[in-house]
Amino acid sequence: MAQYQSVVFDLDGVITDTAHYHFLAWRNLANKLGIAFDEAFNEELKGISRMESLEKILVKGGVADQYTAEEKAVLADQKNVEYVALLVDMSPSDIFPGIETLLTELRAQGTKIALASASKNAPMILDALGITALFDYVVDPDEVPNGKPAPDIFVRGAEAVGADPKMSIGVEDAVAGIRGVLDAGMFAVGVGTPEQMEQAGAHLVVEDTTDLTVALLNAKYQK
Ligand code: B16
Ligand code: MG
């Protein structure tokens, strides 16, 4: 039996690469509004909610005060329609390598599994990937008061499956997400470059999800 009670996963960038589709849809919207948008700026939007992402883009363009709340809601909706259309061909082959085995082996050893994604599209994406049944709980981002980098969504994920967050692991690819995992008192696993993830404070870093195995988690986990 592992020493940890649950593993709480981020979705985009950990389980599948929807980050690229978010980038394409935001870039299109930003370009329509005459705002420059590149991969570097997109990094700042990872793990951040849809409306907060839009706000950051408008602030970057110096036009945040030129839109009413209703107009912003319409813009966010336009981005989401385009984003969801880009996901239409998503299938189990889009799960990052090693992740389905990891989920299956965690279940087999009795570890609870939760999803803590900022995405309102997360349930639809898990269905398209065919892995909904492998999760004990999927947190709705609307059920917690504060989004990432706050720890709320990770605490909720662990507690919803009956686990102590301080006896749990959080897996994230975004700097904002690692912050939340750490503030939840969890062991933080970062998926990404050692430079970025170690700077963010991750306890364990994997560059590739194929390295993210139950054996590694069991060997490296520390309370
Ligand atoms: P949606 P994660 C986050 O997912 C994305 O990283 C972020 O770029 C996106 O804005 C957010 O979900 C909201 O997504 O527009 O689908 O509700 O990384 O927390 O799984
Ligand atoms: Mg992510």
Side-chain angles (χ1 to χ4, degrees):
M1 183 70 185
Q3 306 145 278
Y4 48 91
Q5 299 172 351
S6 76
V7 181
V8 182
F9 287 88
D10 173 49
L11 176 65
D12 297 334
V14 169
I15 288 174
T16 190
D17 185 20
T18 38
H20 183 62
Y21 299 120
H22 279 296
F23 167 68
L24 293 177
W26 279 131
R27 187 180 60 181
N28 242 343
L29 183 77
N31 289 349
K32 272 187 220 155
L33 301 176
I35 301 169
F37 191 84
D38 58 16
E39 294 267 11
F41 186 68
N42 189 56
E43 278 297 309
E44 293 181 35
L45 306 183
K46 285 188 176 173
I48 305 294
S49 76
R50 198 180 306 163
M51 283 312 290
E52 280 176 282
S53 300
L54 174 66
E55 202 62 43
K56 272 179 177 269
I57 291 167
L58 296 178
V59 167
K60 181 174 185 282
V63 293
D65 52 358
Q66 289 176 25
Y67 295 89
T68 65
E70 290 75 20
E71 286 168 338
K72 287 178 186 176
V74 170
L75 292 176
D77 217 55
Q78 279 175 11
K79 179 266 175 179
N80 191 54
V81 167
E82 188 167 339
Y83 170 68
V84 169
L86 290 169
L87 300 182
V88 71
D89 291 330
M90 187 161 250
S91 75
S93 66
D94 293 305
I95 304 170
F96 277 154
I99 290 292
E100 196 165 0
T101 304
L102 172 66
L103 295 170
T104 307
E105 291 182 2
L106 284 171
R107 290 186 78 79
Q109 72 173 8
T111 304
K112 295 291 183 188
I113 302 172
L115 190 82
S117 170
S119 174
K120 293 179 196 291
N121 294 299
M124 181 265 286
I125 293 168
L126 289 186
D127 276 349
L129 298 175
I131 53 174
T132 301
L134 295 175
F135 287 83
D136 296 293
Y137 193 78
V138 176
V139 184
D140 178 342
D142 285 342
E143 72 181 287
V144 292
N146 306 297
K148 301 171 189 178
D152 307 26
I153 196 165
F154 298 102
V155 170
R156 176 70 187 135
E159 289 181 345
V161 297
D164 178 352
K166 295 189 170 57
M167 295 284 292
S168 296
I169 294 174
V171 188
E172 258 290 350
D173 70 310
V175 173
I178 293 288
R179 180 79 266 138
V181 170
L182 292 172
D183 288 347
M186 295 173 154
F187 183 80
V189 176
V191 178
T193 63
E195 194 189 24
Q196 190 188 42
M197 288 292 111
E198 278 162 18
Q199 203 180 350
H203 298 108
L204 171 67
V205 179
V206 290
E207 287 193 72
D208 192 295
T209 52
T210 45
D211 300 327
L212 192 54
T213 61
V214 167
L216 182 74
L217 294 181
N218 291 355
K220 298 288 184 184
Y221 173 76
Q222 282 182 331
K223 193 177 168 321

